[in-house]
Amino acid sequence: MQPMSLLVTTCVLFVGSHLLLSHPLRAPLAGRMGERSFLIVYSVVAIATLVMLVQAWRGMPAEPPIWAVGDGLWMFASLLVLFASILFMGSLIGNPALPAPNAAFAAQGAARGVFAITRHPMMWGFALWAFAHALVVPTPGQFILSATIIFLALVGSAGQDVKKARLMGDTWRHWAARTSFIPFARQLSGRGSWGDTIPRPHALFGGIAVWLAATWAHGALGYMVAGIWRWVG
């Protein structure tokens, strides 16, 4: 199989298995196997398809960029990844969208920090991270990989809305009414306060730390130097 065909195939497997096991197949399989056994199967499939995708990506030949990438675009992409990192770190605490025992309790609180920005900060963090990579690595292979991650993150978020509404009922619907799917949509429409979107310390400082470490590792592992490290050192 040609490298590009292999990449497309593994992307389809990665996305397809996630969506099928997260939604239409989850209830019947979990009911038959038990929740714990299902989670084991889900994890094995997710890891296996991810490894296949990474291997296919590594096997792609060098491709010429579609546009030139200068310092301005690098700065914008770096700031986008920083924002994505803050969203991700903020999503780890008090996130009603996660399958946590206290999800219903968290959904009763006010939307503050990253949750005032979007009710799916983790998924939008992944999507923005992928988009930033497409900006600075403008090749067909990267476009396919980034599009795969963006599609899975955003379609997965929409699926979470449906599933959480079914599982949590009015608790989730009231939470969704106090938040927005698209980042900053409530603020831009005048329905939310910009002050509420200030990230909490664990999101802000954790996001900065993750951004610095990840962009440093990008260059240290032999990939393109990224983030602030392009201009420091």
Side-chain angles (χ1 to χ4, degrees):
M1 185 178 292
Q2 294 296 317
M4 181 63 78
S5 298
L6 182 60
L7 179 63
V8 172
T9 300
T10 55
C11 284
V12 171
L13 288 174
F14 181 65
V15 171
S17 60
H18 269 71
L19 294 181
L20 286 173
L21 290 175
S22 296
H23 300 289
L25 296 182
R26 183 182 183 95
L29 288 179
R32 181 176 301 177
M33 303 168 57
E35 188 67 25
R36 180 172 298 181
S37 296
F38 171 78
L39 290 176
I40 292 174
V41 171
Y42 182 95
S43 299
V44 169
V45 173
I47 293 171
T49 53
L50 177 61
V51 169
M52 292 169 61
L53 177 55
V54 170
Q55 291 301 317
W57 168 246
R58 288 180 174 175
M60 285 290 294
E63 298 176 300
I66 295 175
W67 57 73
V69 181
D71 282 347
L73 194 54
W74 266 106
M75 289 179 185
F76 176 72
S78 297
L79 290 175
L80 205 58
V81 173
L82 172 59
F83 179 55
S85 300
I86 292 171
L87 288 178
F88 176 78
M89 292 304 294
S91 75
L92 299 179
I93 297 178
N95 188 353
L98 294 179
N102 63 342
F105 177 78
Q108 295 174 16
R112 295 285 189 271
V114 298
F115 301 110
I117 298 173
T118 171
R119 63 177 168 273
H120 294 292
M122 179 180 289
M123 296 301 194
W124 274 102
F126 291 148
L128 293 174
W129 172 85
F131 178 65
H133 278 70
L135 290 178
V136 295
V137 187
T139 63
Q142 180 64 55
F143 289 164
I144 290 173
L145 180 61
S146 290
T148 296
I149 296 171
I150 293 169
F151 178 84
L152 181 58
L154 300 188
V155 172
S157 296
Q160 279 185 334
D161 278 344
V162 174
K163 181 167 65 176
K164 284 290 185 173
R166 185 178 68 252
L167 294 175
M168 295 169 58
D170 287 341
T171 300
W172 179 262
R173 283 186 281 272
H174 292 159
W175 168 253
R178 299 194 302 275
T179 64
S180 63
F181 185 93
I182 299 174
F184 299 112
R186 287 182 63 82
Q187 288 72 36
L188 292 171
S189 66
R191 295 179 295 123
S193 168
W194 287 98
D196 291 341
T197 66
I198 298 174
R200 293 179 177 178
H202 72 276
L204 179 61
F205 297 112
I208 291 173
V210 166
W211 177 68
L212 289 173
T215 51
W216 174 84
H218 213 278
L221 294 175
Y223 299 103
M224 288 187 298
V225 179
I228 196 173
W229 310 107
R230 293 187 66 83
W231 299 279
V232 175

